[in-house]
């Protein structure tokens, strides 16, 4: 717009210039002014760059200063065969609509195995489904197993947050019961544990769409607050536990 305005102004000046040398000077000045205006108009300002960054969707891969792309967030649920580093192995089941509580998995057949890195799913919308079962985002259950290397002996407290129902078993004993169809809710339980490896099982089900939540925290002797169980302390279970055997 600025270049167009300058072109019009100098276009009015040139016909009235009787002196040929002066006309050449005006023409040169016009050309330089228009070129400068066009260059500045084409260059994005710092404000333009900031506004463009702010409007970029959060799920778009961004480039770093050296031109490399930053990694996209990992999916919550993954195929176990392709993610051997994920310690939590779960059997995925489809439920009948209007299921009110966790079912008896011994009477059911699992669809497939799903693996997770951590039970840190805060309340969120879930509509993407599972690998190979993309349309399953409501009325499903996961029966998950993993082992944990407890660093020291003493009384440990656990907090289980879920939407809908979930139950925590520790070495086959039910420790925290947060079952039932409900919005995000937390329940806690305590257990005296010896240092070393212990077997964990978390059974979870999702009722009607869309929100899900599943978080497991622990607090050890002398700890002042709950934290997620560190990934370095979690171990993928052996074949017998992963297959659902007690």
């Amino acid at each position: 717009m600025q270049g167009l305005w300058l072109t019009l102004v100098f276009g009015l000046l040139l016909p009235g210039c009787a002196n040929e040398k002066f006309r050449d000077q005006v023409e040169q000045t016009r050309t330089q002014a228009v070129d400068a205006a066009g260059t500045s108009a084409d260059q994005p300002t710092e404000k333009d760059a900031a506004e463009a960054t702010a409007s970029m969707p959060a799920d778009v891969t961004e480039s770093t200063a050296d031109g490399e792309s930053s990694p996209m967030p990992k999916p919550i649920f993954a195929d176990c065969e392709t993610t051997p580093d994920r310690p939590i192995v779960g059997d995925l089941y489809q439920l009948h609509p209007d299921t009110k509580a966790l079912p008896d998995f011994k009477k059911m057949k699992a669809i497939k195995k799903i693996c997770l890195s951590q039970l840190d799913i805060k309340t969120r919308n879930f509509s993407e489904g599972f690998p190979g079962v993309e349309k399953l985002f409501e009325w499903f259950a996961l029966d998950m197993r993993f082992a944990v290397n407890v660093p020291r002996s003493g009384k440990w407290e656990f907090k289980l947050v879920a939407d809908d129902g979930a139950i925590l078993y520790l070495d086959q004993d039910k420790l925290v019961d947060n079952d039932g169809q409900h919005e995000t809710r937390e329940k806690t339980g305590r257990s005296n544990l010896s240092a070393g490896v212990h077997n964990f099982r978390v059974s979870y089900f999702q009722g009607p769409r869309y929100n899900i939540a599943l978080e497991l925290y622990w607090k050890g002797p002398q700890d002042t607050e709950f934290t997620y169980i560190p990934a370095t302390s979690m171990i993928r279970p052996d074949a017998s536990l992963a297959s659902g055997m007690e």
Side-chain angles (χ1 to χ4, degrees):
M1 176 63 80
Q2 185 178 1
L4 178 60
W5 180 82
L6 289 170
T7 300
L8 292 174
V9 170
F10 283 103
L12 293 174
L13 290 174
L14 283 171
C17 296
N19 187 297
E20 184 177 352
K21 182 177 181 180
F22 182 68
R23 285 171 59 93
D24 292 340
Q25 291 177 347
V26 172
E27 175 64 25
Q28 183 179 2
T29 303
R30 181 191 70 81
T31 302
Q32 292 174 350
V34 171
D35 290 343
T39 301
S40 62
D42 293 338
Q43 296 296 326
T45 63
E46 291 183 1
K47 181 180 179 181
D48 293 335
E51 290 176 350
T53 301
S55 63
M56 183 181 294
D59 58 350
V60 173
T61 301
E62 298 183 3
S63 295
T64 59
D66 57 5
E68 295 183 358
S69 298
S70 58
M72 297 291 287
K74 292 182 179 181
I76 299 174
F77 306 109
D79 191 298
C80 293
E81 293 183 359
T82 60
T83 54
D85 59 321
R86 294 193 172 204
I88 304 172
V89 180
D91 288 318
L92 175 66
Y93 299 85
Q94 186 165 9
L95 304 178
H96 292 293
D98 297 326
T99 297
K100 303 297 184 184
L102 281 160
D104 183 355
F105 293 117
K106 294 179 180 178
K107 299 179 180 180
M108 303 175 67
K109 183 177 181 179
I111 299 175
K112 68 176 303 179
K113 290 192 181 296
I114 296 294
C115 280
L116 300 84
S117 297
Q118 178 65 271
L119 296 182
D120 57 355
I121 309 170
K122 296 185 180 295
T123 303
R124 53 156 289 177
N125 180 284
F126 178 68
S127 59
E128 57 265 41
F130 300 86
V133 200
E134 286 78 10
K135 295 184 178 180
L136 183 60
F137 47 79
E138 64 176 340
W139 307 115
F140 67 84
L142 283 166
D143 196 21
M144 296 163 281
R145 289 172 168 79
F146 55 99
V148 175
N149 188 11
V150 177
R152 57 188 181 275
S153 300
K155 182 175 289 186
W156 288 78
E157 187 172 0
F158 296 87
K159 178 169 66 175
L160 184 62
V161 182
D163 175 1
D164 287 287
I167 296 177
L168 167 64
Y169 300 88
L170 207 165
D171 293 329
Q172 302 184 24
D173 296 325
K174 183 187 294 186
L175 184 63
V176 182
D177 189 341
N178 196 4
D179 198 6
Q181 194 178 118
H182 53 74
E183 295 182 350
T184 303
R185 184 179 71 185
E186 68 177 55
K187 291 289 186 70
T188 60
R190 296 180 177 86
S191 180
N192 285 313
L193 298 178
S194 60
V197 177
H198 294 264
N199 293 317
F200 282 62
R201 174 188 174 194
V202 175
S203 300
Y204 167 78
F205 88 95
Q206 159 71 347
R209 56 186 174 187
Y210 282 101
N211 284 346
I212 65 170
L214 184 60
E215 297 178 89
L216 177 61
Y217 299 87
W218 71 351
K219 183 168 64 174
Q222 302 176 355
D223 290 340
T224 58
E225 59 183 21
F226 283 102
T227 61
Y228 292 129
I229 300 174
T232 53
S233 298
M234 303 174 74
I235 308 165
R236 182 175 284 204
D238 60 31
S240 62
L241 284 172
S243 65
M245 295 177 62
E246 298 295 341

